[in-house]
Amino acid sequence: LPVAPDLDGWLATALERAAAAGEPDWALARRRAAAGLAERLPTPGRTTELWRRTDFGALALAALDPWRAAPPSGGAEDLPAGILSRLGDGEAAGIVVQRGGEVVLDRTDEAAARSGVVVTSLERALREHGDELRERLGALVEPGLDRYAALQQAMRTGGAFVRVPDGVALERPIRLVRWLDDAGAAGFPGTVIVLGRGARATVLEECVSETADGAAFFAGATEVFVGEEAKLVYGHLQDWGRHVFHYSNQRARIERGGELQWIHTFLGGRVTRTNSYVSLVGPGAKAYVHGFMFGDQRQHFDLHTLQRHLAEETTSDLHIRSALKDRARSVYQGMIQVAPGAQRTDAYQANRNLLLSPTARADSIPGLEILANDVRCTHGATVGTVDEESMYYLMTRGLPRNDAQRLVVEGFFAPVLDRIPLERVREQLGGVIHAKIG
């Protein structure tokens, strides 16, 4: 069954551990409410529209251990090689590393801390910054969305809190790393990111692991608050091992004149289901969402986006690309919503799909819902194969067919890769793409 028969035991243990960790009463009450929803809601499957093309039927939660302790760590030097290779020299304004359900590294740069920047585990933040979190934790992600969303909010292990005060501009990025050690692991992090008025920051959330025999599960929730005139670059980079089932809800709220650049990459995992919604609530707010999926073998990626324009003169620009080979499948379903009174909205939505084998499949379902009369909203989708003229041009200049195809695919992904702010991360993702092409 897709839901563990000992769900009651899971939820009871989560509440006991949270209370022992000193979680505030209001946060415990929200866990209990989410636990009640998790017990009542049906497991999402193909009978509901958003899950019609994707399900986690092969995931047996009963085989997972959410309480598996991470190996003892004396510091960054004890982290797995896969994490260390990601972090490189460790230059960052702040770092939070989570293994399974436990945060094992939590560090803020001294200069950033002096400016009032907070980068810490959510567990610590609930004790030390509870008043700030009370109005934000769970404010954007609806626990009643489905059973997995409710389960994530009830279980909530690890996670991070990032706060950049008014007027503070960070030159170095903040790194949030999620790691699942092996099969049977499970993580349920909740992350809250808050930028004050006029703040500037880059946050990279990286979901990585090696491939193992047997399933693992990640269910995350990220809530982003971009203040007036603030600017955030946020990258969600997924490169799990091929045994991981990935479920995440990501929400952003952008105030007057704020700007969000949101980058998605989906390369790993067995089955991925992500709901990514942006709400532009202040006049002049802007959101630029770019991402790509590259699947091979039998990987399955499902991305649902929502661009909600709730104020006048707001802008959103979304461009998602996917390349698929073997029997891989991608599902993109997106919606632009323009509320009454959100005049002079400028919104764009595009999904481009490149099929590298005849057995690959891409489903693209863009949509518009417009309730204002002075707007500019467009959307489009394409599904096609590699352009043979481009291949012919490259092969006549001495490149073997596989190398020619690699260049075409790398060029297809370049507009997204070029937006990732760290060269080392770009090189790592490029290496994964190169390996998948073969």
Side-chain angles (χ1 to χ4, degrees), residues 220-232:
T222 301
E223 297 171 290
V224 176
F225 299 83
V226 180
E228 294 185 3
E229 306 298 332
K231 181 176 180 179
L232 172 66

Side-chain angles (χ1 to χ4, degrees), residues 293 321-323 352-354 407-416:
M293 302 175 265
R321 299 186 172 212
S322 71
R352 313 294 183 205
N353 301 281
L354 184 64
L407 288 177
V408 170
V409 174
E410 289 176 349
F412 181 71
F413 286 145
V416 179

Side-chain angles (χ1 to χ4, degrees), residues 69-389:
S73 175
E77 64 277 3
D78 294 329
L79 295 175
I83 296 179
L84 294 176
S85 67
R86 291 271 170 173
L87 294 178
D89 56 13
E91 284 294 312
I95 297 174
V96 175
V97 176
Q98 177 169 342
R99 297 182 70 173
E102 184 179 345
V103 171
V104 296
L105 181 63
D106 172 345
R107 187 174 69 203
T108 305
D109 175 76
E110 291 184 6
R114 286 195 297 270
S115 299
V117 174
V118 175
V119 181
T120 188
S121 69
L122 189 62
E123 181 180 296
R124 179 185 295 181
L126 283 167
R127 295 193 303 266
E128 300 178 1
H129 306 281
D131 290 343
E132 293 181 67
L133 282 167
R134 186 167 189 166
E135 301 302 318
R136 294 188 171 95
L137 181 62
L140 302 183
V141 176
E142 319 87 325
L145 179 67
D146 58 46
R147 192 172 203 175
Y148 293 120
L151 185 62
Q152 184 279 322
Q153 294 205 20
M155 296 293 294
R156 192 163 36 76
T157 54
F161 174 55
V162 174
R163 182 195 67 198
V164 183
D166 295 354
V168 174
L170 295 178
E171 296 183 0
R172 292 183 292 175
I174 293 167
R175 310 285 298 274
L176 310 177
V177 179
R178 321 295 192 194
W179 178 270
L180 295 175
D181 278 287
D182 51 25
F188 300 87
T191 294
V192 176
I193 301 170
V194 181
L195 264 66
R197 180 183 178 90
R200 301 285 187 273
T202 296
V203 179
L204 296 182
E205 181 180 20
E206 300 165 73
C207 300
V208 291
S209 74
E210 305 293 343
T211 296
D213 292 328
F217 183 45
F218 174 90
T222 301
E223 297 171 290
V224 176
F225 299 83
V226 180
E228 294 185 3
E229 306 298 332
K231 181 176 180 179
L232 172 66
V233 178
Y234 170 69
H236 176 80
L237 314 178
Q238 189 269 88
D239 188 16
W240 293 120
R242 293 175 181 270
H243 64 301
V244 177
F245 288 78
H246 173 106
Y247 172 86
S248 64
N249 283 298
Q250 302 160 358
R251 304 288 188 272
R253 176 185 173 94
I254 310 172
E255 304 292 343
R256 177 188 295 269
E259 179 179 318
L260 171 65
Q261 293 187 28
W262 204 324
I263 304 162
H264 295 276
T265 70
F266 301 98
L267 291 169
R270 179 173 172 179
V271 181
T272 292
R273 178 78 171 89
T274 296
N275 303 304
S276 180
Y277 304 167
V278 175
S279 296
L280 300 108
V281 302
K286 299 179 176 66
Y288 302 96
V289 183
H290 295 80
F292 69 77
M293 302 175 265
F294 190 3
D296 64 359
Q297 299 180 24
R298 287 182 173 271
Q299 287 183 302
H300 185 112
F301 300 123
D302 187 336
L303 174 62
H304 179 229
T305 67
L306 177 60
Q307 299 152 258
R308 300 178 67 223
H309 292 260
L310 303 175
E312 61 184 11
E313 297 183 347
T314 54
T315 301
S316 70
D317 185 325
L318 179 145
H319 196 149
I320 303 295
R321 299 186 172 212
S322 71
L324 305 164
K325 61 183 294 189
D326 305 326
R327 300 185 68 84
R329 181 179 180 183
S330 70
V331 179
Y332 171 73
Q333 187 167 352
M335 178 66 71
I336 296 173
Q337 290 182 344
V338 181
Q343 304 292 4
R344 294 176 296 283
T345 284
D346 186 351
Y348 178 70
Q349 180 186 98
N351 177 222
R352 313 294 183 205
N353 301 281
L354 184 64
L355 303 183
L356 304 177
S357 65
T359 52
R361 174 175 171 177
D363 294 349
S364 185
I365 311 151
L368 300 174
E369 184 179 301
I370 301 173
L371 301 176
N373 59 10
D374 182 10
V375 302
R376 180 180 179 273
C377 295
T378 56
H379 67 167
T382 61
V383 179
T385 58
V386 174
D387 180 46
E388 287 301 323
E389 288 189 8

